[in-house]
Amino acid sequence: MLFCGVCRSSMVTDRRNGKQLYRCNRAQSGAVPGHGGLAINMDDADDVVARTVWSRLTALDPEDPEDLEWLAEAARRFAAQADTGERQAELAAARAELEHVREALRTLYVDRQAAGLYVGGVGDQVFRESVERLTAHEARTAGRVEELGTAEAGTVAIPSEWTDPEGDPLGPESTWAGWTLSERREFLALFVDRVNVARSVGRGRNANTAERVAVHWAQTPAK
């Protein structure tokens, strides 16, 4: 999710003079005239991104629509990460079954009207029984579709310790400190869509690392 602010290409890890860096992956190709490369200290960049995310989480305003929308999108992504896909498969099967039974009902009515089937007393009884059976089946299946759809769209809360951590959320005893690199990436992907790194204004101690890192918050797919 880390991108060069000059050419918009992804950034990759590198090592120079014993230091771990992120560097632009495209600069070496010469595709962007005058773009000789962009790099940033890895530890500094990681710290800025992590602290930016945790700072917003711990300062959430429950009455701010933007904060609520951001948290809802993170919850949706959190649910998607944990979902095995079984519910989606069951929902798809239930929808297909519902369409099948409704088509059977349509066929039943068309046959009676167009082909003159189900005439006489016995025919009427068979028709009514068929309609009742299919209608009951339709109601059961529609209910199941609604139930699964509601569960699919329902809000899943992210862990409360993320919005109200004890102590420094990046401290040595924190949840963040105990996570693997993969777990940290999954966490950040809930709240961030991308991170852009701009050119440095200075070097060494004068490098404006924190100002170079721009976090773009998670947006709903429609946006």
Side-chain angles (χ1 to χ4, degrees), residues 75 123 154 170:
L170 297 178

Side-chain angles (χ1 to χ4, degrees), residues 131-203:
V131 169
E132 290 172 359
R133 175 176 54 81
L134 288 172
T135 300
H137 189 177
E138 179 190 27
R140 289 194 303 271
T141 309
R144 184 58 177 156
V145 168
E146 182 177 1
E147 177 186 347
L148 290 169
T150 299
E152 182 70 15
T155 300
V156 178
I158 63 173
S160 59
E161 60 266 27
W162 291 0
T163 55
D164 189 23
E166 295 183 3
D168 182 359
L170 297 178
E173 303 299 324
S174 66
T175 300
W176 174 266
W179 280 341
T180 64
L181 177 60
S182 177
E183 289 172 326
R184 291 180 177 183
R185 286 175 173 167
E186 290 177 356
F187 170 83
L188 292 176
L190 300 175
F191 304 100
V192 177
D193 279 340
R194 62 186 290 127
V195 178
N196 285 344
V197 177
R199 284 191 175 99
S200 175
V201 173
R203 293 180 178 274

Side-chain angles (χ1 to χ4, degrees), residues 89-154:
E90 188 176 357
L91 177 58
R95 284 172 174 163
E97 183 179 358
L98 181 60
E99 180 56 33
H100 175 75
V101 72
R102 285 175 174 170
E103 181 60 30
L105 269 170
R106 285 191 288 268
T107 300
L108 189 65
Y109 283 111
V110 168
D111 285 349
R112 188 182 194 195
Q113 183 176 13
L117 299 178
Y118 305 107
V119 295
V122 174
D124 284 342
Q125 182 180 354
V126 170
F127 176 78
R128 284 195 301 271
E129 290 174 351
S130 298
V131 169
E132 290 172 359
R133 175 176 54 81
L134 288 172
T135 300
H137 189 177
E138 179 190 27
R140 289 194 303 271
T141 309
R144 184 58 177 156
V145 168
E146 182 177 1
E147 177 186 347
L148 290 169
T150 299
E152 182 70 15

Side-chain angles (χ1 to χ4, degrees), residues 5-6 11 46-47 71 154 168 175 193:
V6 177
M11 298 187 72
D46 287 350
D47 186 72
L71 198 61
D168 182 359
T175 300
D193 279 340

